[in-house]
Amino acid sequence: MTADQHTPWTGYQPVQAWDEAVDLDGKVRDPYRRVYSEIDRMSGDDLYSRAEALASTYLAQGVTFDHAGEERPFPLDIVPRVVGGEEWDIISPGVAQRVRTLEAFLADVYGSQHCVNDGLVPRRLIATSQYFYRSAAGIDPANGVRAHVSGIDLVRDQHGIWRVLEDNVRVPSGVSYVLSNRRAMSQMFPDMFGAMGVRPVLEYSQRLRAALARCAPGDIDDPTIVVLTPGVFNSAYYEHSLLARTMGVELVEGRDLETHNGRVYMRTTAGRRRVDVIYRRVDDDFLDPVTFRPDSALGAPGLVHAARLGNVTIANAIGNGVADDKLIYTYMPELTRYYLGEDPILPNVDTWRLEEEEAREEVMDRLDELVVKPVDGAGGKGVIIGPKASRSELDEARARILEDPRGWIAQPVIQLSTVPTLTDDGLEPRHVDLRPFAINDGDDVWVLPGGLTRVALARGQLIVNSSQGGGSKDTWVLGGERQRGRAAPPPESRVELGGIAAVPQAAHPDDIEHGQQQQQQQQQGEPRQGDGSC
């Protein structure tokens, strides 16, 4: 620490968790040395002014999220999270291994169900999963990929060990914040960014487009790809529009699509155009009113039939949510060995299955020490953190567990690692997690270097989701080629994302009525995992 002057680091003190920047003795960890020294040379006023400029930029650009029914600018903290190259060389193959296991499980559970017949996973667990859809059985993807995009949530425990917290292979959201954060931060700290050799992330959109093109049905040289959005009233519309623009594909709503003779078409000013791949950002229940909810106006009738005939690919695949079930999560170590013949690179968090009587009895005795979660929950909703819960909250949780043991799991309280974060009182440690995004093109699983770091902005808060008031950080993975001399603004800062603009207003006179339908349907639906709950 700098002793002879007041700097932004003055008074920074790690808590009893793994601080990724500074250890308990005050020694700066290697990956953070450059960031530490650069901030140490700033005054507090300079750091705050940069943070205000960053927030103003995000507000003007319309980088928003939904919090308590209100659209707000997504908080981006000025201090980046830095991950060393050696650490990433463990994380990246660990995430890729996880995705391959999930792919194998999904293919099996909607196929021959060997894992059930061999006694690895109870048949009852699959049958009672909220997101297991029998209508998805027999839909074979063109290149065998069901989870084209995965978001694997990781945490670092009090010992500095990376662990998988949960899997997201339905419609994982948040990558738009990764891209927007990088563009903003590379402009804010161009010298530091370039000199540290931070690995790039803005190739994500082209990687995604290439993977989607490879999953097109049949032998099509230039498939038509669309991004299917619920519309401008969806809390993640910013992400949908950004990805469509950066991939160079059309952004469509359900009313823009129609099916004829088992094929999908989109309406254009030049007439109908056949669609080969749909990157959907609409949940299963709302995707096709013929197969799922008949009152849905967010999808289009006949999409599932067209997919079953092999005339269109829906990415991510229908029914992937069974792999997100937090009870299936508890079987992932065994499933990794079963399908891949490998030990897991990234361990799970220890978890109790509350449908098992012995485990349930132990958890009931220790409810005030543990975290209990609904198996199909998302966005931090329904989570009870025992040490912080009131007696009435614990009593209610106990009653709900006894009523539906299959609907809950329990875990020890993980003291998530902390990262320096700018607060009203200066730099303070705040708890974070990490959502790396992986793209599977059928031959290879590519993991985006970094991913979305979510930070709990309140002191001591362990739930980091934006829907619970959290923010984000730009995640810098070291190990890229360093630039010599004074670094010019890195290429990423000059990439035009296209989505960096205010969210467009309603384009049609009937959009207001249509948007009200969207909101009503989404509010009536089950807790949502992907869009709007990152």
Side-chain angles (χ1 to χ4, degrees):
M1 301 290 178
T2 303
D4 59 348
Q5 62 176 331
H6 186 83
T7 79
W9 291 107
T10 302
Y12 184 82
Q13 182 61 48
V15 294
Q16 294 300 316
W18 182 277
D19 192 88
E20 298 184 12
V22 180
D23 66 20
L24 291 176
D25 295 326
K27 182 180 178 182
V28 181
R29 301 189 193 276
D30 287 342
Y32 273 86
R33 289 188 180 278
R34 181 63 184 258
V35 170
Y36 183 94
S37 63
E38 290 287 341
I39 294 178
D40 196 48
R41 286 196 286 266
M42 299 179 189
S43 67
D45 289 343
D46 184 17
L47 191 59
Y48 277 112
S49 67
R50 293 192 186 208
E52 290 173 2
L54 199 60
S56 298
T57 298
Y58 261 36
L59 181 62
Q61 292 170 352
V63 184
T64 62
F65 75 106
D66 178 72
H67 179 64
E70 178 185 350
E71 286 295 314
R72 299 182 181 180
F74 194 51
L76 169 60
D77 187 64
I78 192 70
V79 183
R81 183 191 198 171
V82 185
V83 179
E86 292 182 357
E87 292 178 68
W88 189 252
D89 290 343
I90 297 173
I91 294 171
S92 181
V95 169
Q97 180 193 58
R98 190 86 175 189
V99 171
R100 289 195 296 270
T101 302
L102 290 165
E103 287 281 10
F105 170 73
L106 287 168
D108 189 14
V109 79
Y110 286 112
S112 301
Q113 295 197 347
H114 293 299
C115 66
V116 173
N117 297 330
D118 289 345
L120 191 68
V121 178
R123 188 179 303 277
R124 173 179 44 81
L125 190 157
I126 302 296
T128 58
S129 176
Q130 178 182 352
Y131 297 108
F132 175 68
Y133 293 105
R134 288 179 173 81
S135 55
I139 301 179
D140 297 320
N143 64 342
V145 177
R146 286 174 167 79
H148 305 79
V149 178
S150 303
I152 308 299
D153 288 353
L154 308 179
V155 295
R156 204 171 188 182
D157 67 17
Q158 58 267 36
H159 304 294
I161 298 173
W162 290 95
R163 295 180 180 272
V164 178
L165 183 65
E166 64 181 50
D167 304 298
N168 301 279
V169 291
R170 275 182 281 170
V171 280
S173 69
V175 75
S176 62
Y177 302 129
V178 177
L179 306 180
S180 300
N181 290 355
R182 176 55 53 84
R183 186 176 188 273
M185 289 291 287
S186 60
Q187 291 176 332
M188 194 65 62
F189 296 111
D191 293 351
M192 183 166 58
F193 183 92
M196 291 177 65
V198 179
R199 301 187 194 185
V201 300
L202 294 187
E203 61 182 296
Y204 177 88
S205 296
Q206 295 312 308
R207 290 267 191 174
L208 177 57
R209 177 178 178 138
L212 294 175
R214 294 194 63 176
C215 74
D219 187 15
I220 304 173
D221 293 333
D222 186 20
T224 298
I225 303 167
V226 298
V227 176
L228 175 61
T229 176
V232 296
F233 294 94
N234 184 267
S235 60
Y237 182 77
Y238 170 80
E239 175 156 309
H240 308 164
S241 59
L242 184 147
L243 290 175
R245 287 190 181 96
T246 53
M247 285 195 291
V249 304
E250 294 292 336
L251 181 68
V252 302
E253 298 181 30
R255 58 184 172 178
D256 300 318
L257 301 178
E258 58 185 40
T259 59
H260 292 281
N261 299 321
R263 302 183 187 278
V264 181
Y265 300 87
M266 66 173 166
R267 301 182 181 96
T268 74
T269 55
R272 293 190 314 181
R273 181 179 178 186
R274 181 177 169 182
V275 173
D276 304 300
V277 180
I278 301 173
Y279 178 45
R280 53 79 173 247
R281 301 302 297 261
V282 174
D283 289 346
D284 289 344
D285 286 345
F286 302 100
L287 192 61
D288 183 342
V290 174
T291 303
F292 300 112
R293 288 183 54 152
D295 62 337
S296 174
L298 302 183
L303 293 185
V304 174
H305 179 61
R308 185 177 303 281
L309 293 176
N311 292 329
V312 71
T313 297
I314 298 175
N316 283 355
I318 297 167
N320 277 11
V322 65
D324 291 351
D325 189 307
K326 291 182 177 63
L327 272 180
I328 292 297
Y329 163 92
T330 67
Y331 290 89
M332 284 298 291
E334 291 83 0
L335 290 171
T336 302
R337 299 182 185 98
Y338 179 75
Y339 291 122
L340 306 184
E342 303 170 358
D343 288 327
I345 297 172
L346 298 172
N348 277 8
V349 174
D350 294 340
T351 306
W352 285 267
R353 302 167 184 154
L354 297 189
E355 62 175 0
E356 297 176 358
E357 184 176 0
E358 185 176 347
R360 186 167 62 253
E361 290 177 354
E362 179 180 355
V363 168
M364 289 302 190
D365 290 339
R366 301 175 53 197
L367 202 57
D368 59 343
E369 304 172 11
L370 304 173
V371 176
V372 291
K373 302 177 180 179
V375 298
D376 56 0
K381 298 180 179 66
V383 174
I384 301 295
I385 300 177
K388 295 187 177 183
S390 66
R391 180 175 295 275
S392 62
E393 288 173 329
L394 291 175
D395 289 342
E396 182 181 355
R398 186 174 284 107
R400 294 176 70 182
I401 290 169
L402 291 174
E403 181 182 357
D404 179 25
R406 192 258 183 258
W408 298 85
I409 60 166
Q411 296 174 331
V413 176
I414 299 293
Q415 289 298 322
L416 309 183
S417 61
T418 57
V419 173
T421 303
L422 188 62
T423 72
D424 291 341
D425 298 319
L427 289 175
E428 294 186 349
R430 290 292 186 267
H431 296 290
V432 292
D433 75 353
L434 178 65
R435 176 176 289 183
F437 291 88
I439 295 174
N440 188 357
D441 66 6
D443 291 329
D444 182 49
V445 177
W446 176 77
V447 182
L448 179 70
L452 178 63
T453 287
R454 300 177 294 185
V455 55
L457 297 178
R459 181 178 297 164
Q461 174 66 269
L462 292 174
I463 299 179
V464 300
N465 305 76
S466 61
S467 55
Q468 302 295 309
S472 73
K473 286 177 171 287
D474 190 19
T475 309
W476 293 9
V477 175
L478 306 185
E481 182 178 353
R482 296 175 182 269
Q483 301 179 20
R484 295 181 179 180
R486 182 176 175 82
E492 292 207 317
S493 69
R494 301 193 295 272
V495 173
E496 179 56 55
L497 291 181
I500 303 297
V503 175
Q505 300 300 307
H508 304 287
D510 60 346
D511 265 347
I512 299 300
E513 180 180 355
H514 185 65
Q516 291 171 348
Q517 279 186 304
Q518 295 172 0
Q519 291 174 322
Q520 291 170 359
Q521 290 179 3
Q522 290 167 15
Q523 289 167 1
Q524 293 167 4
E526 300 297 332
R528 306 179 67 235
Q529 170 220 16
D531 294 352
S533 64
C534 73

